[in-house]
Amino acid sequence: MKKVLVLVIIALAATMLRAAEFPIDLNSATLEEIMQLPIPPEHAKAIYEYREYRSYFKSVYDLMKVPGIDAEELEILKPLVRIEPVEADYLAQRMQVAQRNVRMWGASEGSNEGLIDLWIDIAKDPPNINTASVYDLMNLQNVSPVDAVAIVKHRKAIGSYRGRRDLRYTPGLSGWGYMNARSLVRYKDREQKGELHGRYQLRARSAFYDGDLDELLREDVFSASGVYDSWYERLNLDKTRPEVTQKLYLKYYLNDSLTVRGGLLSWRGAGEQRFDEHLKGFVGLEGLRLGPVRVEKIYVGDYLVGFGQGLVMENSDYFKPRKTGYSWDKRYYGILGDISRSDEYRLRGIALQAEWKKWKLLGFYSDDKKDAVLNEDGSVLSYILLTPTIDNKVLTRYGLPPMKDALDERLFGGNLRYIITPGTHIGISGYESHYNRYFNPRGGETVIERFDHVSEADNEIFASYRSPGKFRRVLGVEFQSVFKNYCLQAEYAELDEDGSTLKLGDDPKALVASLWAQYNNLNFLCLYRDYDLGFDNPYCRGYSNYERFKGTILEDQYYLTDPLYGLIFDNSVTPQAERGIYFSSRYRITQSIIPRFEYDRWTRVADGATYYRFVGNLEVRLLYPLRFKVRQQFQGRNRGDRLTPTSYGLNETRLELEMRLSRYDMVEFTYLRGGTEWPPRPRLVGDVDPDGDHPASGQAFQPSEALLLHAIHNFTDRLSLSIGALAYNGFIWFFEENDFVAVDNRNSTRYWISVQDRISERFWLELKATYDRGLPITNTDVRRYNQQYGLNIDAPNIINRERYFRIQIDYMW
């Protein structure tokens, strides 16, 4: 009996051991464990590869998606396996959300990659909704001040948000605000004391310049050696030197409230020589308590700062037309460590953001060198953003004065706000810069060669800042009030030249004021701006349609003493002196019909030219997967006087059919037709010779037309493929994956293919290749010369064939 009892115990132990081995969790089992299952080895390997390279299993029936597994094997495996839920990697989720939002952030006219990079960085590190302030939430795309106040008030009422369900039922939060906020916030801090997190990005792409900049660099210049050449030849820009950017971002948690952040950036612009041509970095503390004062952020190194409507201070190298501060055109409030590619208007020094009771303070100090155009007497005509960077030795070799780091700038300033109620405040702000040189526009003779082509619009050049001393001082007041579902914002600023500092209106001034109203399915914005011609603040990024010097002689580099001075306009980032009013609205009539519109009417202060712009959008979803979109734009200048040579009218229609399929797959077709009309010019529309043909340059209407096909297919949650094809004629702007592209050719085609692969949970790789083939628009009539030599009347142009590549690697930990 003892022997029998021992055998029973051994058998029972073996059975229990066997039960402990099976069932195994397919979402965490090793390849060796899966190979022990009673199925062919190649099927076991297929199960492992499916999990590693396609997707985790959500149920045991997902095994039927594995190649080779049939119903019979599924019945064998059911009692031997189990499926445990897998908590998605939080950092990988943030990266995926940011990548999906890229196209939405950029799919508006005038977008640029620099600003999109900034919003991607913010999306990768979202705020905690349970600790975020009203202003933190206002920084999120498509979250209005009314939405932000509603979230903070509801959080106070319920204690804390637990998840999306709580957010969805927030009183006063609009449906549009909820749809955007849900993927841009988190509900708890997942990091622990002593943890180090970071991300690294490497991006390399072909060296290329957009149309206007390329034309400027290729403009012929008569050099001191007695020959014609261009800056394109002088800088050997035809040699392939790709643009390379590297970013490193670190975040270390000292304790539950105190965090250390740091970042490094190096980049080489298109056509530049050294990989470390530009270097930036910062280190800072967040959440520091000094008694009753909470220092939210303090940074040393490079930083970004912004507040109000951007009239006093918002430092970046990028201009965004119609930057309202709402919807997709957000304006960031506060300070950020700066690892963006802003160079000319970067601030380098120390900055802090603090609060005490109902007071909020931003303070900053910077000491940096700026590129500038110098007059013969050594005074400064203007800041200039050199693209590409050119050493002073090269500039002087070709007879130009030094421009690189020609101006020393020491700047200090701040913004002080008093919070009346959540979302309602009043504030004062200002900054003062000290230089090593005076500013003097001097009538523009330094850069303008053909004064016979100067017009009234060039008053904007001659009214540029003339400093009473080696300094510049800008002061302002700002206000915001949120009441129920309305928000009123305003900022007033003055550039202190020779008037009284405390007296309003005796110096060049600027004003931007807006009223926002929102309901659950409807929002409306009305914005007014008024800039004096002399309000020349290099750090102003307020609302405007055009950048400063648009329409002046600086836009025509062939009238300048050197084409390089055209960069004063081409890289201008401050708003033009405008006076006008802007309206926009979005209304979700039903879940299937959503119209939007924008209307802007303004006057250019320099010469009194009148402009208007209307854009209407209609999105119809009659069937869930299908979306039909129509975009109609009308725009013009001086349309009341058609005989004015500077008048024009633009008419553009876009039709888009979008099919949204499963797993975020998508196919879209876009057709565009439009054109720009000018008043007829009799001296141009006549024949070069009486042969019955007319030169192309005499046309009073320049058409544009395009047909676009774009498709995205996600093979797995990790691997996706995007392809696109474009046939176009004329000027077209569109969004090509992560790049905003504007092209201006005729009878042209463009193709691209992009692959995104999440090689591991936190390692991403993106490859993109583009091919463009087309004819440049030269507006040149060559018939006269061809006929003299017996050639064809319509001589062909040289076909441009351009190839571009882009490689990007992202790693997070």
Side-chain angles (χ1 to χ4, degrees):
M1 288 297 295
K2 291 182 180 180
K3 292 181 179 180
V4 173
L5 183 58
V6 170
L7 290 175
V8 170
I9 292 175
I10 294 174
L12 182 61
T15 303
M16 293 177 64
L17 181 61
R18 180 73 173 177
E21 295 176 354
F22 292 101
I24 62 172
D25 176 20
L26 288 182
N27 282 331
S28 61
T30 63
L31 176 60
E32 291 73 17
E33 291 173 331
I34 298 176
M35 294 290 285
Q36 295 178 11
L37 294 171
I39 57 176
E42 59 271 19
H43 292 180
K45 188 175 181 181
I47 293 174
Y48 177 80
E49 291 178 348
Y50 181 93
R51 185 195 72 193
E52 290 297 307
Y53 302 113
R54 289 184 61 88
S55 176
Y56 286 110
F57 295 101
K58 297 179 181 178
S59 76
V60 70
Y61 295 100
D62 283 346
L63 287 170
M64 294 296 293
K65 300 177 182 179
V66 177
I69 301 296
D70 54 22
E72 184 177 345
E73 287 189 356
L74 177 63
E75 292 301 320
I76 296 174
L77 292 174
K78 278 184 179 180
L80 302 177
V81 300
R82 70 181 191 275
I83 306 298
E84 294 292 340
V86 176
E87 183 177 357
D89 188 284
Y90 177 72
L91 295 178
Q93 279 185 327
R94 299 313 315 167
M95 183 70 178
Q96 198 165 17
V97 168
Q99 294 292 343
R100 286 174 180 165
N101 285 337
V102 165
R103 294 187 69 250
M104 292 185 291
W105 289 336
S108 62
E109 185 179 3
S111 295
N112 61 71
E113 188 176 4
L115 289 174
I116 294 171
D117 276 349
L118 171 62
W119 293 113
I120 290 177
D121 288 341
I122 294 173
K124 291 175 182 176
D125 188 19
N128 184 332
I129 194 172
N130 289 310
T131 58
S133 69
V134 169
Y135 303 102
D136 294 330
L137 297 171
M138 283 173 53
N139 287 333
L140 303 178
Q141 297 282 359
N142 284 301
V143 176
S144 71
V146 177
D147 292 327
V149 170
I151 291 173
V152 170
K153 287 184 175 180
H154 189 57
R155 181 184 69 199
K156 185 177 181 180
I158 65 174
S160 65
Y161 283 94
R162 296 166 297 177
R164 285 189 179 184
R165 180 181 295 273
D166 291 345
L167 181 63
R168 180 65 186 91
Y169 294 103
T170 298
L173 177 63
S174 66
W176 184 237
Y178 163 74
M179 290 175 62
N180 289 275
R182 63 184 181 182
S183 60
L184 297 175
V185 298
R186 53 181 170 177
Y187 300 94
K188 61 181 179 179
D189 293 323
R190 298 170 179 266
E191 299 83 1
Q192 302 295 325
K193 177 181 177 182
E195 286 188 357
L196 175 66
H197 293 277
R199 57 180 182 267
Y200 170 78
Q201 182 184 91
L202 170 65
R203 179 191 301 161
R205 66 178 184 180
S206 302
F208 71 95
Y209 305 98
D210 61 30
D212 292 336
L213 181 56
D214 186 74
E215 179 182 339
L216 182 152
L217 294 172
R218 293 181 185 275
E219 183 73 24
D220 285 337
V221 187
F222 188 73
S223 63
S225 59
V227 299
Y228 281 97
D229 57 5
S230 67
W231 283 102
Y232 205 90
E233 296 167 313
R234 294 173 176 178
L235 300 175
N236 296 317
L237 297 180
D238 55 331
K239 294 184 179 179
T240 303
R241 293 193 294 272
E243 176 184 308
V244 179
T245 304
Q246 295 186 82
K247 285 184 181 182
L248 176 64
Y249 185 88
L250 299 172
K251 186 176 181 181
Y252 180 72
Y253 296 87
L254 292 174
N255 53 49
D256 292 340
S257 61
L258 192 59
T259 304
V260 179
R261 291 183 189 264
L264 292 172
L265 169 73
S266 72
W267 89 91
R268 178 182 70 182
E272 295 175 345
Q273 298 287 344
R274 305 190 309 270
F275 283 101
D276 60 346
E277 187 73 48
H278 308 275
L279 294 172
K280 298 175 76 173
F282 75 94
V283 64
L285 280 175
E286 296 182 359
L288 180 64
R289 284 282 184 181
L290 297 176
V293 178
R294 180 172 179 264
V295 180
E296 298 176 1
K297 303 175 183 178
I298 180 168
Y299 293 133
V300 176
D302 295 288
Y303 58 88
L304 296 169
V305 59
F307 43 80
Q309 301 299 303
L311 298 186
V312 174
M313 173 61 65
E314 186 178 325
N315 63 308
S316 74
D317 284 1
Y318 307 106
F319 173 78
K320 176 68 172 69
R322 298 171 295 279
K323 192 173 183 180
T324 62
Y326 290 92
S327 189
W328 302 110
D329 299 318
K330 278 291 183 174
R331 176 173 285 107
Y332 189 84
Y333 165 77
I335 62 172
L336 283 174
D338 182 16
I339 51 174
S340 72
R341 285 176 294 168
S342 293
D343 186 56
E344 174 70 358
Y345 298 100
R346 72 182 182 187
L347 296 180
R348 172 171 289 177
I350 184 170
L352 67 87
Q353 178 176 329
E355 65 176 358
W356 175 67
K357 295 184 178 179
K358 291 191 173 185
W359 295 91
K360 292 184 75 73
L361 171 69
L362 297 179
F364 48 92
Y365 170 82
S366 171
D367 189 347
D368 195 24
K369 294 182 178 295
K370 306 297 181 183
D371 299 344
V373 177
L374 302 182
N375 297 309
E376 292 181 359
D377 61 359
S379 62
V380 176
L381 173 69
S382 171
Y383 287 79
I384 187 171
L385 176 57
L386 292 173
T387 310
T389 297
I390 305 175
D391 290 334
N392 287 328
K393 291 182 179 179
V394 178
L395 293 170
T396 54
R397 184 191 310 160
Y398 293 103
L400 295 181
M403 287 188 267
K404 181 176 173 58
D405 295 337
L407 178 67
D408 293 339
E409 178 191 76
R410 299 176 67 184
L411 179 150
F412 62 90
N415 171 258
L416 179 64
R417 288 181 172 181
Y418 178 73
I419 311 300
I420 302 172
T421 61
T424 299
H425 71 262
I426 187 170
I428 58 173
S429 55
Y431 79 86
E432 184 169 313
S433 295
H434 292 264
Y435 309 109
N436 63 328
R437 302 176 187 271
Y438 289 94
F439 275 77
N440 186 1
R442 296 191 58 194
E445 65 268 17
T446 302
V447 300
I448 301 174
E449 183 175 43
R450 297 292 302 275
F451 275 90
D452 55 323
H453 285 273
V454 169
S455 66
E456 289 184 347
D458 297 309
N459 289 329
E460 196 160 38
I461 303 173
F462 310 138
S464 296
Y465 181 59
R466 186 188 302 271
S467 60
K470 296 181 180 179
F471 71 92
R472 187 188 318 241
R473 183 183 300 120
V474 180
L475 301 173
V477 294
E478 47 121 355
F479 167 78
Q480 175 179 293
S481 177
V482 174
F483 175 71
K484 295 184 178 179
N485 56 325
Y486 301 96
C487 178
L488 176 64
Q489 295 178 328
E491 183 174 20
Y492 175 86
E494 285 193 2
L495 171 62
D496 187 7
E497 283 191 336
D498 53 6
S500 171
T501 302
L502 299 179
K503 184 178 179 181
L504 297 180
D506 60 345
D507 285 312
K509 58 188 179 299
L511 169 68
V512 173
S514 66
L515 174 64
W516 169 269
Q518 78 172 40
Y519 302 88
N520 192 41
N521 295 311
L522 171 67
N523 60 53
F524 181 82
L525 172 66
C526 175
L527 183 145
Y528 175 79
R529 80 282 197 182
D530 186 354
Y531 298 93
D532 281 355
L533 196 60
F535 187 77
D536 182 13
N537 175 12
Y539 293 100
C540 175
R541 303 294 182 269
Y543 176 97
S544 71
N545 259 276
Y546 292 128
E547 62 269 54
R548 192 172 179 86
F549 306 127
K550 173 70 174 176
T552 69
I553 198 171
L554 294 176
E555 195 173 358
D556 302 322
Q557 65 271 5
Y558 37 81
Y559 292 147
L560 307 181
T561 56
D562 190 282
L564 206 61
Y565 289 130
L567 292 174
I568 299 175
F569 160 71
D570 270 25
N571 289 333
S572 175
V573 294
T574 57
Q576 187 164 65
E578 299 175 354
R579 183 178 299 115
I581 191 166
Y582 167 85
F583 300 95
S584 72
S585 182
R586 179 185 185 272
Y587 181 32
R588 189 175 71 168
I589 300 174
T590 69
Q591 192 171 2
S592 303
I593 303 176
I594 305 175
R596 291 180 291 119
F597 86 92
E598 298 176 75
Y599 178 73
D600 202 353
R601 192 170 187 87
W602 73 99
T603 300
R604 184 167 62 190
V605 177
D607 61 351
T610 58
Y611 293 78
Y612 73 92
R613 179 179 181 271
F614 171 83
V615 177
N617 291 271
L618 177 64
E619 179 179 328
V620 180
R621 290 177 284 180
L622 298 179
L623 298 175
Y624 173 73
L626 294 178
R627 298 187 179 206
F628 180 70
K629 301 178 183 179
V630 181
R631 182 184 187 273
Q632 179 64 51
Q633 177 176 347
F634 299 104
Q635 186 169 329
R637 176 178 60 206
N638 290 333
R639 298 299 282 169
D641 185 1
R642 299 295 300 276
L643 298 180
T644 303
T646 57
S647 67
Y648 76 88
L650 182 148
N651 182 346
E652 181 185 278
T653 304
R654 291 185 181 226
L655 304 176
E656 181 179 337
L657 178 63
E658 182 181 292
M659 292 180 286
R660 296 192 176 185
L661 309 175
S662 59
R663 299 178 64 89
Y664 294 98
D665 288 1
M666 184 186 69
V667 179
E668 62 178 344
F669 301 89
T670 302
Y671 175 72
L672 179 148
R673 185 177 181 86
T676 305
E677 179 186 8
W678 294 273
R681 292 171 170 80
R683 65 184 180 85
L684 295 178
V685 299
D687 299 334
V688 175
D689 286 319
D691 55 10
D693 293 322
H694 296 275
S697 61
Q699 292 181 355
F701 184 80
Q702 182 170 330
S704 60
E705 189 173 18
L707 180 63
L708 170 67
L709 168 64
H710 181 220
I712 299 175
H713 176 56
N714 294 284
F715 294 97
T716 69
D717 294 338
R718 301 170 180 263
L719 178 64
S720 67
L721 172 69
S722 176
I723 59 173
L726 173 72
Y728 66 98
N729 183 25
F731 176 78
I732 306 295
W733 63 266
F734 65 102
F735 202 70
E736 184 181 285
E737 306 310 321
N738 293 354
D739 299 310
F740 181 82
V741 179
V743 291
D744 191 7
N745 291 317
R746 60 188 179 91
N747 301 329
S748 304
T749 54
R750 186 180 182 96
Y751 309 93
W752 72 91
I753 181 171
S754 174
V755 178
Q756 289 187 355
D757 188 7
R758 194 174 77 199
I759 298 175
S760 69
E761 285 297 324
R762 300 181 180 181
F763 185 80
W764 292 66
L765 173 66
E766 179 186 353
L767 304 173
K768 194 185 86 166
T770 301
Y771 173 73
D772 194 303
R773 177 190 182 279
L775 298 172
I777 297 177
T778 62
N779 293 325
T780 301
D781 186 355
V782 298
R783 298 170 304 147
R784 183 173 188 171
Y785 307 100
N786 289 340
Q787 287 175 324
Q788 293 178 3
Y789 298 100
L791 300 177
N792 294 330
I793 292 178
D794 295 322
N797 290 98
I798 297 175
I799 298 176
N800 285 339
R801 293 181 174 88
E802 302 289 348
R803 298 170 179 83
Y804 309 106
F805 75 88
R806 174 188 173 113
I807 301 174
Q808 181 169 319
I809 295 173
D810 290 275
Y811 179 68
M812 307 176 70
W813 68 91

